[in-house]
Amino acid sequence: MKTLTLVTDLRKELQQLRSEGLTLALVPTMGNLHQGHLRLIEEARRHADRVITSIFVNPLQFGPGEDFDSYPRTLEADCEKLTAAGCDYLFNPGVEEVYPKTQGEPTRVVVPGVSEGLCGHKRPGHFDGVATVVTKLFNFVQPDVACFGQKDYQQLAVIRKLVVDLAFPIKIVGVPTHRSPDGLALSSRNAYLTADERRKASGLYATLKATGQKLAAGNTHFHELSHQARARLAELGFSPEYVEIRSPDLGPPQQNANQWVLLAAARLGKARLIDNLVVHRDE
Ligand code: PAF
């Protein structure tokens, strides 16, 4: 695997690749790679001749008081995992490479609508930061395909809209959430859980599944279901931020629909966990 830290080197390298007629898939990450990321790389390999992973802890998507400084940075271990997974390139730029000093604040990309509510409400400016860095990564790399995890359901919706609205000729592939055997969605932030919290953490997905079963069976009292799910999470020791039922495009849920998405965020100790479940109405 070849590691690049400068945009000029990256451009030269990728120009060569394109001149050979090879296609390229990008897997954007913030590092501290786990099995979920490796699934993204596996999927990326199915879609293109070469795979590039970016590791960049993006300051723009962290709010004041969030975990930017303490976010786990594990570059050496990440490189070993990427090499073993057959990744061809790592792009690992510094902050000034991505956000060179210009006059005033850096230009930001705002994706209205889908960025609002849910995590967007709890983390103001977060999706502007994500949309901005993803736009920059798309401009640096100009991939044919980019892979993102479905665990970050709202983020994926933001990126899908961004690609359409800004006319990026990039295919966006959503990759199913990778879970531990007890159901917990893999996330770099799971590292913040103590052993006791880790045991409790599977309760988030279990609660979504229990709520999803009621929904699938025809209970469309959305507010009541969300309220019950929040109460259950609190009982299990979480501090729930939200549990919401939406239509798959994140619009308001429809009574007569056949599909919905349940989305939740909850704090457990120092960790903020998010998860979601797409629910189909029983036949
Ligand atoms: O999902 C993530 O890890 C980040 O939000 C992303 C997409 C790499 C942008 O920094």
Side-chain angles (χ1 to χ4, degrees):
M1 183 180 68
K2 195 158 187 173
T3 299
L4 300 143
T5 55
L6 300 178
V7 175
T8 44
D9 294 344
L10 175 79
R11 290 215 158 115
K12 250 187 253 155
E13 184 76 35
L14 300 183
Q15 209 168 358
Q16 172 66 27
L17 196 134
R18 261 178 231 109
S19 71
E20 292 168 24
L22 298 172
T23 55
L24 187 61
L26 169 68
V27 179
T29 79
M30 297 206 299
N32 192 230
L33 303 179
H34 51 65
Q35 204 55 38
H37 294 112
L38 302 182
R39 281 278 172 91
L40 299 182
I41 292 161
E42 206 178 289
E43 186 63 27
R45 282 160 58 96
R46 287 200 195 105
H47 288 270
D49 301 312
R50 297 286 182 271
V51 175
I52 178 165
T53 299
S54 60
I55 295 184
F56 178 65
V57 184
N58 173 32
L60 229 57
Q61 69 188 75
F62 290 79
E66 288 191 351
D67 56 345
F68 173 71
D69 289 330
S70 57
Y71 196 85
R73 288 156 172 91
T74 53
L75 189 59
E76 211 176 303
D78 289 349
C79 285
E80 280 168 22
K81 289 178 190 166
L82 289 174
T83 306
C87 179
D88 300 286
Y89 300 99
L90 166 64
F91 180 48
N92 178 221
V95 173
E96 295 215 343
E97 190 65 9
V98 177
Y99 300 114
K101 292 253 177 292
T102 51
Q103 224 182 357
E105 283 288 301
T107 300
R108 279 167 212 257
V109 177
V110 177
V111 182
V114 283
S115 293
E116 292 146 25
L118 304 164
C119 288
H121 175 65
K122 291 291 170 188
R123 304 183 68 191
H126 168 67
F127 288 117
D128 303 351
V130 171
T132 303
V133 80
V134 168
T135 299
K136 297 204 78 161
L137 290 169
F138 285 174
N139 281 331
F140 296 152
V141 176
Q142 302 184 8
D144 301 279
V145 177
C147 297
F148 295 88
Q150 288 171 357
K151 181 179 79 71
D152 299 293
Y153 192 99
Q154 189 176 11
Q155 169 172 283
L156 185 55
V158 167
I159 291 163
R160 286 193 191 285
K161 179 169 160 65
L162 164 86
V163 161
V164 173
D165 288 355
L166 298 186
F168 280 111
I170 300 173
K171 179 178 173 181
I172 301 300
V173 175
V175 179
T177 305
H178 191 68
R179 298 183 182 279
S180 299
D182 68 353
L184 177 66
L186 296 199
S187 161
S188 302
R189 289 193 168 98
N190 294 350
Y192 299 152
L193 297 167
T194 62
D196 181 48
E197 288 160 357
R198 173 62 192 84
R199 275 189 290 278
K200 290 181 180 157
S202 60
L204 179 58
Y205 186 53
T207 304
L208 288 183
K209 276 207 304 198
T211 309
Q213 273 166 10
K214 294 180 196 164
L215 191 56
N219 179 346
T220 54
H221 296 105
F222 303 127
H223 285 293
E224 203 179 299
L225 286 176
S226 306
H227 180 77
Q228 286 168 1
R230 283 179 66 110
R232 177 67 187 143
L233 286 174
E235 235 172 63
L236 293 173
F238 292 85
S239 305
E241 282 191 353
Y242 65 79
V243 179
E244 287 199 30
I245 300 167
R246 297 281 187 103
S247 71
D249 66 359
L250 294 182
Q254 304 301 315
Q255 296 281 341
N256 56 358
N258 289 320
Q259 213 179 311
W260 305 272
V261 59
L262 264 159
L263 303 114
R267 290 188 181 272
L268 193 55
K270 283 199 196 122
R272 180 179 185 273
L273 305 178
I274 61 169
D275 206 347
N276 66 81
L277 179 70
V278 174
V279 177
H280 302 265
R281 191 189 283 272
D282 291 341
E283 297 281 299

